[in-house]
Amino acid sequence: MSSRDGVTRPLPAFLVIPALIGTFFFLVPLIGLVARAPWGNLFTLLKSDIVVESLRLSLVSSTAASLLALLIGVPTAFVLARASFPGRSIVRGIVLLPLVLPPVVGGAALLFGLGRNGILGGPINSLTGLTLPFSIWGVIVAATFVATPFLIITVEGALRSADQRYEGAAATLGASRWTTFRRITLPAIGPSLIAGMVLTWARAFGEFGATVTFAGNLQGRTQTMPLAVFVALEQNRDAAITISLIMVGVSLAVLISLKDRWWRSV
């Protein structure tokens, strides 16, 4: 550990030992997963229908959810960070609620709100014939619902800490609000925006509870990788371990790629 005077000092044992124990606690399940992996049959399992179809659906739904989160999350974060209005804390609580809400409860709420007989889903179905539950659109909506708060909280924090003098100077020079936002604000929060997008994608990629409740668990249609693991644990444990390894690898790569971007923004 380096102090401000440049002298390296040893970390205190009363912190190092619990930290090592904590790291080991998180490492043991991963070791167990790797140890039980069917390495000799891994390539065959990777080509199986359940793995290929669930991977395809997970990639499509998480990417679509991330793009939707970008469209609605950045404006929401900007309003929460820069605007002052009555009930702002209530609005923030509502849009960040999925962070702490049990995913199954979120899925049930989506079902009653956007389902075929929901308060909004019913009229949509009557006018357009579109039914969100038990479709890829339902998977995307569920993933967007649970993942968007990660983008909002990251971008809002970045906007609050950004130096607004540059935006003021641009406005003084005649730049429109859109030009200022596009040329000044977005580049200033770029690293945090990227970190928020990556976290949003990763959360959407691993979503289970809201998806199974709102969109169902239909192989080739709504069965994403977490849902495939749930099914395969009872039918084909080797396939379940294979899918789990893919998800662990992807999630770990995402977190490593963030480096210090996320941790500086919270």
Side-chain angles (χ1 to χ4, degrees):
M1 180 178 66
S2 299
S3 61
R4 291 184 178 180
D5 57 10
V7 178
T8 301
R9 299 173 182 173
L11 291 170
F14 68 86
L15 294 178
V16 173
I17 294 175
L20 291 174
I21 294 173
T23 303
F24 186 71
F25 171 76
F26 291 107
L27 186 60
V28 167
L30 299 180
I31 295 175
L33 188 64
V34 172
R36 295 294 299 273
W39 297 109
N41 197 32
L42 190 63
F43 185 73
T44 301
L45 289 168
L46 287 173
K47 296 188 298 181
S48 63
D49 290 341
I50 188 172
V51 175
V52 173
E53 292 175 352
S54 63
L55 177 59
R56 177 183 60 83
L57 281 170
S58 290
L59 292 175
V60 170
S61 60
S62 57
T63 301
S66 299
L67 294 176
L68 286 176
L70 181 66
L71 291 176
I72 64 176
V74 172
T76 303
F78 188 89
V79 171
L80 291 174
R82 298 292 176 82
S84 180
F85 55 91
R88 182 173 63 175
S89 60
I90 297 176
V91 174
R92 181 183 291 110
I94 291 173
V95 299
L96 297 183
L97 185 61
L99 285 174
V100 296
L101 194 69
V104 174
V105 176
L110 287 172
L111 193 61
F112 295 132
L114 297 175
R116 186 171 184 177
N117 297 315
I119 58 173
L120 183 58
I124 291 176
N125 179 260
S126 299
L127 291 173
T128 66
L130 176 64
T131 302
L132 293 176
F134 308 106
S135 70
I136 182 62
W137 301 110
V139 177
I140 293 171
V141 168
T144 303
F145 179 78
V146 300
T148 301
F150 284 88
L151 180 65
I152 294 175
I153 196 172
T154 307
V155 173
E156 183 189 357
L159 286 168
R160 286 182 175 277
S161 60
D163 191 343
Q164 298 184 41
R165 291 178 297 178
Y166 298 104
E167 297 175 15
T172 302
L173 293 173
S176 65
R177 291 187 175 183
W178 168 245
T179 300
T180 301
F181 180 75
R182 180 171 55 88
R183 300 287 297 273
I184 305 297
T185 307
L186 283 181
I189 65 170
S192 295
L193 180 59
I194 293 173
M197 282 293 292
V198 172
L199 285 171
T200 299
W201 187 90
R203 178 64 185 88
F205 186 73
E207 165 52 29
F208 175 83
T211 301
V212 72
T213 307
F214 182 60
N217 188 5
L218 306 174
Q219 184 176 344
R221 188 173 178 183
T222 66
Q223 188 179 84
T224 56
M225 298 194 81
L227 275 62
V229 171
F230 181 75
V231 172
L233 280 173
E234 298 295 330
Q235 302 175 357
N236 188 342
R237 182 156 295 188
D238 286 348
I241 294 174
T242 301
I243 299 172
S244 298
L245 285 173
I246 295 173
M247 297 202 68
V248 168
V250 170
S251 301
L252 188 59
V254 165
L255 292 175
I256 292 175
S257 70
L258 287 176
K259 297 181 181 179
D260 292 330
R261 290 176 179 174
W262 161 252
W263 322 115
R264 284 199 300 262
S265 63
V266 297

